[in-house]
């Protein structure tokens, strides 16, 4: 999971722990500034890779570059957190693995927002929405609005 205490930085006053930016992950955590989600893509075998790695785990190529994706996917698994780990974070909230539509197995650890936790379901169609925290734009996911507009 990405949301581990090791990635925590000094974020007094901020609602969530933020990742440390590195040359490898900087594009992923800042691409939301341009309102698009970008995932490392292997030019040799065509796979998307997440979390960011220096080598393609499939073919060991270093021919990796960020490529925009749709930002749409489905909830692969989730858990509802009721424990107030931080004073500033409202509970309950949903921690989820979202599988992007671009590739089976391409999953992001994230939170589901704009949806009551009890309505979250495995398989639910979701889309990315960015939460800006300075340079870091955390990709969160919210339910896709049905095309016929059934949701309030
Ligand atoms: Zn590859």
């Amino acid at each position: 999971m990405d949301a581990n205490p090791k990635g925590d930085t000094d974020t007094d006053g901020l609602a969530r722990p933020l990742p440390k930016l590195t040359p490898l992950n900087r594009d992923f955590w800042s691409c939301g500034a341009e309102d698009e989600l970008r995932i490392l893509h292997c030019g040799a075998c065509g796979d998307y890779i997440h979390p960011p790695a220096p080598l393609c785990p499939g073919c060991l190529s270093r021919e990796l570059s960020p490529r925009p994706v749709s930002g749409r996917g489905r909830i692969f698994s989730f858990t509802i957190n009721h424990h107030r780990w931080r004073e500033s974070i409202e509970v309950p909230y949903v921690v989820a693995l979202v599988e992007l539509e671009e590739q089976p197995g391409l999953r992001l650890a994230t939170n589901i927002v704009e949806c009551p936790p009890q309505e979250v379901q495995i398989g639910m169609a979701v889309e990315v929405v960015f939460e800006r925290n300075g340079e870091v734009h955390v990709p969160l996911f919210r339910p896709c609005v049905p095309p016929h507009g059934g949701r309030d």
Side-chain angles (χ1 to χ4, degrees):
M1 302 288 283
D2 288 338
N4 68 67
K6 278 191 305 187
D8 205 350
T9 52
D10 181 16
T11 54
D12 282 348
L14 288 177
R16 70 168 64 243
L18 297 176
K20 279 205 170 68
L21 295 187
T22 67
L24 195 57
N25 72 16
R26 181 175 298 274
D27 188 76
F28 175 74
W29 290 111
S30 49
C31 59
E34 289 129 66
D35 249 324
E36 65 179 18
L37 182 62
R38 292 195 291 264
I39 300 288
L40 277 186
H41 180 263
C42 176
C45 72
D47 275 359
Y48 286 97
I49 292 143
H50 186 81
L55 289 178
C56 171
C59 73
L60 305 184
S61 169
R62 291 180 181 271
E63 215 184 302
L64 306 178
S65 56
R67 176 179 282 200
V69 294
S70 65
R72 288 188 300 269
R74 290 190 181 272
I75 295 177
F76 176 79
S77 70
F78 73 96
T79 179
I80 299 176
N81 181 64
H82 292 274
H83 183 77
R84 192 180 276 267
W85 295 100
R86 292 187 154 233
E87 200 57 34
S88 54
I89 297 180
E90 290 299 315
V91 291
Y93 61 88
V94 178
V95 179
L97 273 182
V98 166
E99 183 162 295
L100 299 180
E101 67 179 12
E102 275 75 12
Q103 182 178 301
L106 181 62
R107 296 173 195 148
L108 271 64
T110 184
N111 299 126
I112 305 301
V113 295
E114 299 180 32
C115 180
Q118 66 273 18
E119 290 181 17
V120 171
Q121 290 176 11
I122 287 176
M124 182 183 263
V126 290
E127 62 186 6
V128 74
V129 56
F130 293 99
E131 182 189 87
R132 288 163 173 74
N133 295 282
E135 190 184 359
V136 172
H137 293 64
V138 182
L140 306 176
F141 286 79
R142 66 184 176 197
C144 288
V145 176
H148 47 83
R151 185 176 291 275
D152 187 3

